[in-house]
């Protein structure tokens, strides 16, 4: 396993991180047993993965807590998140709710601190409130030693242009951010990663594969939508097999190319993989250890999708 440093946190982290959410939720969303999901977590750890991301909303904190019991705490970098969404029925979160939620997360994870504590899927409309009212409470938890570093994650599915993160990057409070990036929507390159690289902010990449890059029928729909919107050019695409050139260029599969593409993007650190399938995890570990994609394939992917900022890859 290759390791890197998570920006200014100084934490040594594996390039592949295990994601506890997404469509898979460690396999819980497709009916796998808790034992099977725990086995995938242990498989990842045994392969050298030391970064695990979860959230209060995923209902996988408890599973992760069980699976890492007995592992020396300093050998695992734990990231979890506080839900922030609010609407007419749910008013904005309060500092007291943040504290209570973190205490519950710690209990489920079986630890007395988390390495990265993030505000989850923040929308631009909520940002100023959270910055003013909730960040000081996060900093207090940090002073108490319950949280090591502060993070924020975007709602990439709705904020495909990274509007919220571009605002967040104007403040110097975030040690780590989680950003959506994949070969279909590379718009984080200029809008987010250029700045995080300059400021040494830690990066977790989400949506590397998601649905469009793991399900061929979904990929076709997404490509057709992008052509209809004028974000990609039909005459530049290879008809029925738009990413066929990736396989001809040596990638083993589209997910394989997708993880390698993210790994080799300058400024990326932890590439999250959200899987509950031991075979997929094995493949993804191999992808993260594989050589770079060929320069021709990388250049063509960058060129074909250069204008895309309207899809997440869901
Ligand atoms: N706003 C936020 O804060 C936010 C939003 C989304 C995600 N996240 C975090 O980011 C993590 C990563 O995102 P993600 O879960 O969407 O991850 P992802 O790795 O981009 O995509 C996971 C999807 O791809 C499938 N998959 C994985 N490896 C595969 C392979 N080799 N072949 C075929 N299918 C494969 C998984 O299903 P299987 O189980 O069948 O493998 C799952 O449906 C999440 O788990 C979560 O921790 C955060």
């Amino acid at each position: 396993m290759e390791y890197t440093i998570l920006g200014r946190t100084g934490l040594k982290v594996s390039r592949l991180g295990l994601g506890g959410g997404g469509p898979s939720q460690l396999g819980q969303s497709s009916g796998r047993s808790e034992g099977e999901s725990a086995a995938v977590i242990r498989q990842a750890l045994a392969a050298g993965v030391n970064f695990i991301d979860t959230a209060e909303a995923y209902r996988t904190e408890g599973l992760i807590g069980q699976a890492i019991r007995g592992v020396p705490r300093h050998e695992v970098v734990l990231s979890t998140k506080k839900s922030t969404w609010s609407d007419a029925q749910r008013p904005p979160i309060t500092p007291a709710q943040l504290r209570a939620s973190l205490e519950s997360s710690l209990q489920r994870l079986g630890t007395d601190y988390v390495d990265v504590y993030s505000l989850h899927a923040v929308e631009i409309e909520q940002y100023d409130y959270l910055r003013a009212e909730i960040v000081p409470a996060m900093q207090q938890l940090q002073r108490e030693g319950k949280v090591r570093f502060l993070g924020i994650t975007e709602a990439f599915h709705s904020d495909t242009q990274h509007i919220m993160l571009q605002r967040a990057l104007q403040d110097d409070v975030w040690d780590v951010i989680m950003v959506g990036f994949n070969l279909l929507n590379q718009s984080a390159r200029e809008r987010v990663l250029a700045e995080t690289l300059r400021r040494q902010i830690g990066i977790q990449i989400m949506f590397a594969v998601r649905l469009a890059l793991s399900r061929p029928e979904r990929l076709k729909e997404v490509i057709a939508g992008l052509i209809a919107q004028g974000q990609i050019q039909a005459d530049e695409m290879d008809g029925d097999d738009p990413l066929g050139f990736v396989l001809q260029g040596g990638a083993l599969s589209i997910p394989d190319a997708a993880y390698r593409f993210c790994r080799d993007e300058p400024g990326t650190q932890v590439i999250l993989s959200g899987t509950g399938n031991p075979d997929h995890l094995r493949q993804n570990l191999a992808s993260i250890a594989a050589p770079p994609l060929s320069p021709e394939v990388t250049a063509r992917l960058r060129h074909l999708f250069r204008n895309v900022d309207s899809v997440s890859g869901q």
Side-chain angles (χ1 to χ4, degrees):
M1 175 60 65
E2 184 189 331
Y3 296 86
T4 190
I5 300 298
L6 187 65
R8 68 194 199 184
T9 70
L11 294 169
K12 186 178 165 194
V13 289
S14 49
R15 291 302 313 273
L16 194 77
L18 187 63
S24 176
Q25 311 229 315
L26 294 172
Q28 291 296 295
S29 60
S30 57
R32 288 183 189 265
S33 69
E34 294 199 349
E36 287 172 306
S37 296
V40 165
I41 299 165
R42 285 194 291 269
Q43 179 190 350
L45 293 171
V49 170
N50 77 344
F51 190 100
I52 305 178
D53 176 66
T54 181
E56 66 166 344
Y58 298 161
R59 298 165 194 249
T60 53
E61 288 178 323
L63 256 175
I64 292 166
Q66 293 282 341
I68 64 171
R69 192 169 291 169
V71 178
R73 179 64 187 83
H74 68 275
E75 289 182 9
V76 191
V77 178
L78 287 178
S79 154
T80 193
K81 309 192 269 306
K82 172 76 191 97
S83 311
T84 58
W85 34 90
S86 61
D87 51 35
Q89 281 76 44
R90 278 183 296 201
I93 62 166
T94 63
Q97 285 169 339
L98 177 89
R99 175 174 289 273
S101 174
L102 175 68
E103 295 291 358
S104 302
S105 291
L106 292 176
Q107 207 164 34
R108 286 189 290 267
L109 287 165
T111 182
D112 53 7
Y113 71 93
V114 287
D115 298 279
V116 182
Y117 195 46
S118 300
L119 297 179
H120 193 174
V122 174
E123 307 267 6
I124 186 68
E125 296 77 17
Q126 306 160 281
Y127 181 82
D128 286 341
Y129 168 80
L130 294 169
R131 171 69 188 90
E133 304 298 329
I134 300 301
V135 168
M138 295 173 85
Q139 290 168 327
Q140 177 57 32
L141 294 169
Q142 199 176 21
R143 282 191 289 275
E144 293 171 24
K146 294 172 193 275
V147 166
R148 292 185 72 191
F149 299 102
L150 304 191
I152 188 163
T153 82
E154 66 182 352
F156 187 46
H157 194 44
S158 52
D159 183 6
T160 56
Q161 302 179 332
H162 316 290
I163 306 285
M164 186 286 295
L165 281 180
Q166 289 175 87
R167 166 68 189 88
L169 286 172
Q170 293 169 19
D171 294 325
D172 192 28
V173 292
W174 308 112
D175 302 307
V176 180
I177 67 171
M178 189 190 293
V179 59
F181 178 84
N182 54 45
L183 55 83
L184 297 170
N185 182 341
Q186 306 169 28
S187 63
R189 180 177 299 124
E190 277 93 29
R191 299 178 196 182
V192 176
L193 298 176
E195 181 68 2
T196 54
L197 249 178
R198 199 178 66 73
R199 304 235 315 268
Q200 288 201 304
I201 292 170
I203 288 287
Q204 302 183 61
I205 294 293
M206 61 174 159
F207 281 70
V209 161
R210 205 65 180 192
L211 300 186
L213 296 167
S214 62
R215 300 184 188 174
E217 65 288 359
R218 180 68 191 130
L219 180 63
K220 281 194 180 141
E221 289 167 8
V222 170
I223 297 271
L226 289 172
I227 290 173
Q229 285 176 56
Q231 291 222 319
I232 56 177
Q233 305 306 312
D235 59 3
E236 292 180 351
M237 307 301 294
D238 287 343
D240 265 359
D241 193 12
L243 294 182
F245 71 92
V246 168
L247 305 185
Q248 286 145 24
L252 296 176
S253 65
I254 300 300
D256 174 54
Y259 286 119
R260 290 160 71 184
F261 185 81
C262 290
R263 177 201 60 193
D264 293 336
E265 179 66 28
T268 68
Q269 291 156 8
V270 175
I271 313 302
L272 292 171
S273 173
T275 185
N277 177 323
D279 293 328
H280 287 170
L281 178 60
R282 235 184 316 280
Q283 289 162 23
N284 302 345
L285 287 161
S287 298
I288 272 307
L293 295 172
S294 76
E296 295 75 24
V297 165
T298 303
R300 189 160 172 201
L301 288 170
R302 282 177 164 231
H303 179 75
L304 289 177
F305 299 103
R306 64 195 176 282
N307 295 321
V308 174
D309 67 1
S310 65
V311 294
S312 66
Q314 175 71 348

